[in-house]
């Protein structure tokens, strides 16, 4: 049996999310960086609204997480989603940035790492995103490794993604996750997916085929007192993918453009994702939305299966 965690008192929960958590009903956390910094308007707010609808249709309660006016929010209304989609002053917030943004009373869109931390404080165990952060290409020179991986080693949340973002080094990311003791589980496949593509050439360390199996793994891990999250990777559907060899050329061009523009740090990923959309003529944006929707369907199923174990 799993235990129900009480939300941290400094969080602002919507009535819907608070009631679901109190009832032990399935809740799925959602990040907000993908809204403010990952997609253009109006596709970003349309995507956010559709993902919440998919999760509700799957029998779970969506909880989009962000910081608004310095308050960590777990669950947003339509006005909050619109603000994140259109306000140019919304900061990109990882865990290290949370105290600063909160203290200043500012708006912040949470990354995977920050969303994980706030979801755990709220008592939410399942989180859906598009792509996980990881080890950047060229990290041997830049030491650029996403805080998402560190957070996965610390925080008890299952993160459902379509793999690491395609701009990253998949092999090195898998090595780092192994070092951090993070279970990496591919859903319904033996291969680790490559975000826009189903195939990466890298085998997944583990495979599970049903939401119930995933829920049992979660319960077993945390029941043993093994701190940290689970990375559940869900390949994009075949009809929605962009072949890996096609995307490789696009990514190489986007990275070259990033270096030429001298973009680095937390601005690198938004720049690259935006440039990829431009190079592909919008095809990558269509695929990105499709894979997030696919992950949302699985997230509702996993959250429901895990709630049934309590």
């Amino acid at each position: 049996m799993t235990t129900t965690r009480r939300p941290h008192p400094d969080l602002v929960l919507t009535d819907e999310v608070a009631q679901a958590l109190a009832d032990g009903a399935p809740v799925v956390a959602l990040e907000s960086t993908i809204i403010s910094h990952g997609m253009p308007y109006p596709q970003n707010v349309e995507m956010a609204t559709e993902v919440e609808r998919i999760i509700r249709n799957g029998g779970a309660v969506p909880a989009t997480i962000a910081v608004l006016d310095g308050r960590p929010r777990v669950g947003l209304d339509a006005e909050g989603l619109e603000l994140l989609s259109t306000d140019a002053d919304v900061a990109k917030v990882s865990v290290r940035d949370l105290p600063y943004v909160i203290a200043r009373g500012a708006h912040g869109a949470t990354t995977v790492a920050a969303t994980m931390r706030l979801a755990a404080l709220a008592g939410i165990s399942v989180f859906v995103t598009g792509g996980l952060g990881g080890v950047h290409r060229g990290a041997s020179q830049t030491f650029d490794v996403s805080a998402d991986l560190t957070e996965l080693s610390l925080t008890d949340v299952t993160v459902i993604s379509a793999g690491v973002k395609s701009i990253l080094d998949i092999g090195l990311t898998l090595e780092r996750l192994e070092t951090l003791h993070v279970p990496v589980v591919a859903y319904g496949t033996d291969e680790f997916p490559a975000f826009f593509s189903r195939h990466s050439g890298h085998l997944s360390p583990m495979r599970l085929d049903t939401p119930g199996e995933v829920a049992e793994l979660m319960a077993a891990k945390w029941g043993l007192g093994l701190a940290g999250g689970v990375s559940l990777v869900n390949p994009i559907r075949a009809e929605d993918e962009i072949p890996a060899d096609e995307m490789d050329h696009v990514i190489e061009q986007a990275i070259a453009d990033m270096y030429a523009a001298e973009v680095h740090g937390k601005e690198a990923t938004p720049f690259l994702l935006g440039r990829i959309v431009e190079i592909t003529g919008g095809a990558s944006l269509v695929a990105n939305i499709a894979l997030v929707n696919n992950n949302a369907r699985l997230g509702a199923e996993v959250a429901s299966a895990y709630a049934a174990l309590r």
Side-chain angles (χ1 to χ4, degrees):
M1 295 291 291
T2 59
T3 57
T4 300
R5 294 174 289 182
R6 295 180 181 274
H8 192 279
D10 289 338
L11 302 179
V12 179
L13 279 63
T14 61
D15 291 342
E16 179 187 28
V17 171
Q19 189 62 56
L21 291 171
D23 293 343
V27 179
V28 177
L30 299 163
E31 63 154 302
S32 47
T33 290
I34 192 172
I35 303 172
S36 295
H37 301 279
M39 293 183 184
Y41 184 83
Q43 289 94 337
N44 52 3
V45 70
E46 293 169 353
M47 177 276 305
T49 302
E50 175 65 6
V51 166
E52 291 201 348
R53 185 192 67 80
I54 289 170
I55 289 171
R56 287 194 176 92
N57 287 348
V61 172
T64 301
I65 293 177
V67 178
L68 298 182
D69 297 313
R71 302 294 303 279
R73 310 282 179 135
V74 181
L76 297 176
D77 57 18
E79 183 180 354
L81 291 176
E82 187 72 19
L83 184 153
L84 288 170
S85 302
T86 58
D87 193 325
D89 293 328
V90 176
K92 181 181 178 182
V93 176
S94 189
V95 174
R96 70 166 188 176
D97 309 303
L98 282 171
Y100 181 74
V101 173
I102 290 170
R104 294 182 63 244
H107 300 321
T110 52
T111 63
V112 168
T115 304
M116 282 187 71
R117 183 64 63 95
L118 294 177
L121 289 175
I124 301 172
S125 300
V126 177
F127 162 36
V128 161
T129 185
L132 187 68
V135 180
H136 282 253
R137 303 183 189 199
S140 59
Q141 284 76 44
T142 65
F143 296 93
D144 193 348
V145 179
S146 172
D148 296 353
L149 304 189
T150 303
E151 197 62 30
L152 269 167
S153 73
L154 299 172
T155 301
D156 298 355
V157 173
T158 291
V159 181
I160 300 173
S161 71
V164 299
K165 294 181 177 70
S166 56
I167 57 177
L168 305 175
D169 189 310
I170 294 174
L172 292 182
T173 299
L174 288 171
E175 291 287 351
R176 184 61 182 152
L177 286 168
E178 179 183 6
T179 301
L180 294 171
H181 304 163
V182 176
V184 176
V185 182
Y187 190 77
T189 179
D190 295 319
E191 188 172 1
F192 190 92
F195 195 67
F196 293 120
S197 311
R198 295 175 61 84
H199 304 291
S200 69
H202 296 274
L203 289 176
S204 173
M206 306 171 196
R207 169 179 176 164
L208 294 173
D209 296 310
T210 69
E213 290 176 342
V214 176
E216 292 285 358
L217 181 146
M218 294 162 60
K221 181 181 194 299
W222 298 325
L224 290 170
L226 299 176
V230 175
S231 174
L232 179 63
V233 291
N234 183 35
I236 186 173
R237 298 186 306 179
E239 59 265 36
D240 297 320
E241 77 168 328
I242 301 176
D245 55 354
E246 181 180 333
M247 281 307 303
D248 284 343
H249 295 297
V250 172
I251 292 165
E252 289 171 4
Q253 180 61 57
I255 290 174
D257 294 344
M258 179 189 71
Y259 287 139
E262 299 183 349
V263 175
H264 51 80
K266 63 164 48 177
E267 302 305 321
T269 297
F271 176 91
L272 287 171
L273 294 177
R275 188 71 187 103
I276 288 169
V277 171
E278 293 172 356
I279 297 171
T280 62
S284 66
L285 179 59
V286 173
N288 197 350
I289 293 170
L291 66 84
V292 173
N293 290 345
N294 191 41
N295 292 341
R297 295 183 192 97
L298 179 58
E301 294 175 352
V302 170
S304 297
Y306 187 64
L309 296 179
R310 301 188 181 195

